[in-house]
Amino acid sequence: MSATRRNVLGAALAAPLLAQLAGTASAADEKYGTVSDGWVEVRWSEPVQAELDRLGAVVEAVAPAEMVKSSGGPAVRFPVRSGKGDPSLTKLPKARGNGALDGGVSVRTPQGDVRLTDLGGALKDELASGRCEVNGLAVEHASALRCGVEKGKLSTDKVPAGKPLKVQLSEVPLYATPEMLKAYTATFGTPPFSEDTVLGYVTAAGTYTPPKP
């Protein structure tokens, strides 16, 4: 495996963040509400950490993102730059939206460093697409990850209908899609995970302002 491929692999494993509820898809045809004062936190799983360890990769946050400690291990927290969507609070698997995050993540390996910035993504039908810049080069992923939204923990404010409310969705598991596994195999060989492997967990919080009637 070339040094470049190792670096990109380390970056991909370190950043399931491409699946955030934050993006690239157009919301022009949707009547979406907006998200403000939000953040997204991504914690990668033990299988991913094991692969990072095997590659000798170290993950660091790019400001204003920051490394945080959670009960499940290290994570990266990103401020939400912008977001639109429908959280579908009564039927979470139908949640959809898109947005962008501030900051990024850097992955240091013995072969060199990889820096991921300009992070964005879109979510629909529990499938996440995403985009970012890898060392300044734009990269996009369609159906990159599957989000187990129904397994997350939802908490909201109690406010009158149509008013802004604080929403937090915690510990949403991320899984590889067949497309991701196919691309991984073509580039790196047999992957160390399957469609059933949890690659990481996402927690997202912010103030949701519903669209005007």
Side-chain angles (χ1 to χ4, degrees):
M1 182 185 297
S2 68
T4 299
R5 286 186 173 184
R6 277 185 179 274
N7 287 349
V8 174
L9 171 60
L13 289 173
L17 49 91
L18 293 178
Q20 268 65 273
L21 308 178
T24 58
S26 171
D29 298 325
E30 301 284 358
K31 196 171 183 180
Y32 280 168
T34 60
V35 177
S36 59
D37 301 321
W39 52 265
V40 171
E41 185 176 298
V42 181
R43 170 169 56 87
W44 49 97
S45 66
E46 290 185 3
V48 171
Q49 183 62 56
E51 187 68 1
L52 290 170
D53 291 342
R54 186 183 71 81
L55 296 171
V58 177
V59 180
E60 298 175 338
V62 175
E66 60 181 349
M67 297 294 299
V68 296
K69 291 183 178 180
S70 68
S71 58
V76 184
R77 180 175 289 191
F78 305 88
V80 173
R81 183 189 313 156
S82 63
K84 295 182 179 181
D86 175 5
S88 187
L89 300 179
T90 60
K91 198 170 184 180
L92 289 176
K94 294 298 182 181
R96 61 176 62 189
N98 62 83
L101 305 176
D102 282 326
V105 63
S106 174
V107 182
R108 293 190 290 110
T109 75
Q111 290 78 25
D113 299 344
V114 178
R115 185 181 177 96
L116 287 83
T117 54
D118 193 21
L119 308 168
L123 177 69
K124 184 177 181 180
D125 296 329
E126 295 194 294
L127 291 177
S129 60
R131 67 166 174 80
C132 67
E133 287 192 359
V134 179
N135 290 351
L137 178 66
V139 176
E140 295 191 15
H141 300 274
S143 299
L145 294 166
R146 177 169 56 88
C147 303
V149 180
E150 78 285 354
K151 296 182 179 180
K153 301 174 183 177
L154 175 68
S155 62
T156 66
D157 279 347
K158 291 184 178 180
V159 299
K163 297 296 184 179
L165 72 160
K166 292 183 179 179
V167 178
Q168 179 166 322
L169 185 59
S170 306
E171 295 293 295
V172 175
L174 305 176
Y175 305 91
T177 61
E179 292 85 354
M180 177 183 176
L181 292 175
K182 183 177 180 180
Y184 189 106
T185 301
T187 306
F188 308 112
T190 304
F193 43 79
S194 69
E195 290 182 50
D196 297 322
T197 304
V198 176
L199 302 180
Y201 296 88
V202 170
T203 295
T207 299
Y208 176 71
T209 302
K212 294 180 180 181

